[in-house]
Amino acid sequence: MYRDMKGSTHVLASPEIAVVAMPTDERVWVPQAKDVWFRPLMLNTRQGQWCNLLRVRKSGVLSRHLHPNPVHGFVLKGKWFYREHDWVATEGSYVFEPPGEIHTLTVPDDTPEMITFFNIQGSMIYLDEQNRHTGYEDVFTKIDMCRAHYAECGLGADYVDQFVR
Ligand code: FE
């Protein structure tokens, strides 16, 4: 009785999400900083987790941050690296960022644009060079940023609701 007529979906299950990840409408990209945007895909309020695309059109240091929880990344375009590691994540690369890691996201000078899918658990804690906390993000701050941007750009604040579970 907890299955629908097709027997495939539990009545307590959340609705699925299936979207074209790369939007054709530029307004879907939410500005994060100058020349930095994110595109929400799944904003999980039950588990404190979110999936998005990060798009960067500048080079140099983007942020130094700590993840208390795991992050998974997959590079769709361009490349980037963490100053603390000797590898470069290039198009097609998968990256696992373990809980507890502090790193400094950097885009090389020869990369005009990078786009990466990130699945982020919990939060991102931003740090200065002395590892002092300078700010944080979680699924709720991401939702708030989306709502403010979509209201302002004309899509409507509730445009983000389709990505929230
Ligand atoms: Fe990270």
Side-chain angles (χ1 to χ4, degrees):
M1 67 184 288
Y2 288 103
R3 299 275 159 186
D4 69 10
M5 292 302 286
K6 285 183 269 186
S8 57
T9 304
H10 197 281
V11 295
L12 297 177
S14 297
E16 77 283 11
I17 298 173
V19 290
V20 176
M22 289 282 203
T24 50
D25 187 340
E26 177 62 25
R27 296 175 299 172
V28 175
W29 290 100
V30 180
Q32 168 105 31
K34 187 176 178 336
D35 300 323
V36 181
W37 301 260
F38 72 95
R39 185 270 198 262
L41 293 166
M42 199 287 191
L43 300 158
N44 185 344
T45 64
R46 297 297 181 95
Q47 295 192 324
Q49 171 258 339
W50 71 100
C51 293
N52 64 14
L53 301 183
L54 179 69
R55 184 178 74 183
V56 180
R57 289 179 176 164
K58 67 174 183 180
S59 56
V61 170
L62 274 142
S63 74
R64 177 171 169 78
H65 59 263
L66 158 70
H67 300 287
N69 301 94
V71 173
H72 303 268
F74 184 80
V75 182
L76 299 173
K77 185 177 181 188
K79 57 183 184 289
W80 52 267
F81 61 91
Y82 285 129
R83 211 169 55 193
E84 294 77 6
H85 294 295
D86 59 7
W87 46 259
V88 177
T90 57
E91 195 173 303
S93 291
Y94 162 77
V95 175
F96 167 60
E97 306 182 10
E101 180 162 308
I102 293 172
H103 46 221
T104 310
L105 178 57
T106 310
V107 176
D109 289 340
D110 65 354
T111 304
E113 179 179 73
M114 80 83 151
I115 300 176
T116 302
F117 170 86
F118 282 112
N119 177 350
I120 299 162
Q121 311 279 330
S123 61
M124 292 186 61
I125 297 172
Y126 294 100
L127 304 171
D128 67 14
E129 293 295 331
Q130 282 72 47
N131 290 345
R132 289 178 298 226
H133 294 195
T134 57
Y136 80 98
E137 292 192 289
D138 63 12
V139 67
F140 302 102
T141 67
K142 299 311 275 191
I143 291 171
D144 291 346
M145 286 175 73
C146 290
R147 288 185 65 81
H149 168 67
Y150 292 145
E152 197 225 306
C153 74
L155 287 171
D158 60 2
Y159 183 82
V160 72
D161 292 353
Q162 63 189 298
F163 308 118
V164 176
R165 294 294 183 271

mmCIF file of all heavy atoms in Angstrom, residues 65 67 71 82 97 103 118 124, ligand 1:
data_model
loop_
_atom_site.group_PDB
_atom_site.id
_atom_site.type_symbol
_atom_site.label_atom_id
_atom_site.label_comp_id
_atom_site.label_asym_id
_atom_site.label_seq_id
_atom_site.Cartn_x
_atom_site.Cartn_y
_atom_site.Cartn_z
ATOM 1 N N HIS A 65 39.516 26.703 1.922
ATOM 2 C CA HIS A 65 38.373 26.209 2.696
ATOM 3 C C HIS A 65 38.613 24.837 3.295
ATOM 4 O O HIS A 65 39.515 24.114 2.892
ATOM 5 C CB HIS A 65 37.099 26.216 1.843
ATOM 6 C CG HIS A 65 37.205 25.384 0.600
ATOM 7 N ND1 HIS A 65 37.522 25.907 -0.621
ATOM 8 C CD2 HIS A 65 37.030 24.061 0.400
ATOM 9 C CE1 HIS A 65 37.541 24.946 -1.524
ATOM 10 N NE2 HIS A 65 37.242 23.799 -0.931
ATOM 11 N N HIS A 67 36.516 21.261 4.497
ATOM 12 C CA HIS A 67 35.300 20.451 4.432
ATOM 13 C C HIS A 67 35.241 19.535 5.639
ATOM 14 O O HIS A 67 36.061 18.642 5.765
ATOM 15 C CB HIS A 67 35.293 19.561 3.186
ATOM 16 C CG HIS A 67 35.346 20.302 1.901
ATOM 17 N ND1 HIS A 67 34.277 21.001 1.424
ATOM 18 C CD2 HIS A 67 36.327 20.431 0.988
ATOM 19 C CE1 HIS A 67 34.613 21.525 0.260
ATOM 20 N NE2 HIS A 67 35.849 21.214 -0.023
ATOM 21 N N VAL A 71 33.418 15.506 -0.101
ATOM 22 C CA VAL A 71 33.008 16.166 -1.339
ATOM 23 C C VAL A 71 33.467 15.293 -2.509
ATOM 24 O O VAL A 71 34.563 14.734 -2.480
ATOM 25 C CB VAL A 71 33.650 17.569 -1.456
ATOM 26 C CG1 VAL A 71 33.366 18.189 -2.822
ATOM 27 C CG2 VAL A 71 33.164 18.492 -0.343
ATOM 28 N N TYR A 82 44.373 22.203 -6.345
ATOM 29 C CA TYR A 82 44.497 22.677 -4.980
ATOM 30 C C TYR A 82 45.973 22.932 -4.711
ATOM 31 O O TYR A 82 46.816 22.077 -4.996
ATOM 32 C CB TYR A 82 43.937 21.648 -3.985
ATOM 33 C CG TYR A 82 42.424 21.614 -3.984
ATOM 34 C CD1 TYR A 82 41.731 20.422 -4.126
ATOM 35 C CD2 TYR A 82 41.690 22.787 -3.834
ATOM 36 C CE1 TYR A 82 40.339 20.401 -4.121
ATOM 37 C CE2 TYR A 82 40.314 22.775 -3.824
ATOM 38 C CZ TYR A 82 39.637 21.579 -3.970
ATOM 39 O OH TYR A 82 38.267 21.569 -3.968
ATOM 40 N N GLU A 97 37.294 14.646 -2.095
ATOM 41 C CA GLU A 97 37.891 15.510 -1.087
ATOM 42 C C GLU A 97 37.490 14.964 0.281
ATOM 43 O O GLU A 97 36.320 15.026 0.660
ATOM 44 C CB GLU A 97 37.396 16.946 -1.268
ATOM 45 C CG GLU A 97 37.627 17.446 -2.687
ATOM 46 C CD GLU A 97 37.188 18.885 -2.907
ATOM 47 O OE1 GLU A 97 36.872 19.578 -1.922
ATOM 48 O OE2 GLU A 97 37.153 19.309 -4.073
ATOM 49 N N HIS A 103 42.051 23.101 1.802
ATOM 50 C CA HIS A 103 42.752 23.311 0.533
ATOM 51 C C HIS A 103 42.346 24.633 -0.106
ATOM 52 O O HIS A 103 41.347 25.251 0.272
ATOM 53 C CB HIS A 103 42.572 22.123 -0.415
ATOM 54 C CG HIS A 103 41.172 21.634 -0.525
ATOM 55 N ND1 HIS A 103 40.828 20.300 -0.564
ATOM 56 C CD2 HIS A 103 39.999 22.297 -0.606
ATOM 57 C CE1 HIS A 103 39.525 20.172 -0.669
ATOM 58 N NE2 HIS A 103 39.000 21.361 -0.704
ATOM 59 N N PHE A 118 30.029 19.401 -8.371
ATOM 60 C CA PHE A 118 30.407 19.057 -7.006
ATOM 61 C C PHE A 118 29.200 18.530 -6.232
ATOM 62 O O PHE A 118 28.095 19.096 -6.326
ATOM 63 C CB PHE A 118 30.949 20.284 -6.255
ATOM 64 C CG PHE A 118 32.365 20.643 -6.602
ATOM 65 C CD1 PHE A 118 32.646 21.810 -7.294
ATOM 66 C CD2 PHE A 118 33.425 19.830 -6.219
ATOM 67 C CE1 PHE A 118 33.950 22.157 -7.618
ATOM 68 C CE2 PHE A 118 34.739 20.167 -6.534
ATOM 69 C CZ PHE A 118 34.999 21.332 -7.235
ATOM 70 N N MET A 124 30.836 24.085 3.745
ATOM 71 C CA MET A 124 32.173 24.554 3.401
ATOM 72 C C MET A 124 32.517 25.659 4.386
ATOM 73 O O MET A 124 31.734 26.589 4.570
ATOM 74 C CB MET A 124 32.207 25.123 1.979
ATOM 75 C CG MET A 124 31.992 24.063 0.917
ATOM 76 S SD MET A 124 32.192 24.704 -0.740
ATOM 77 C CE MET A 124 33.882 25.271 -0.739
HETATM 78 FE FE FE B 1 37.088 21.751 -1.627
#
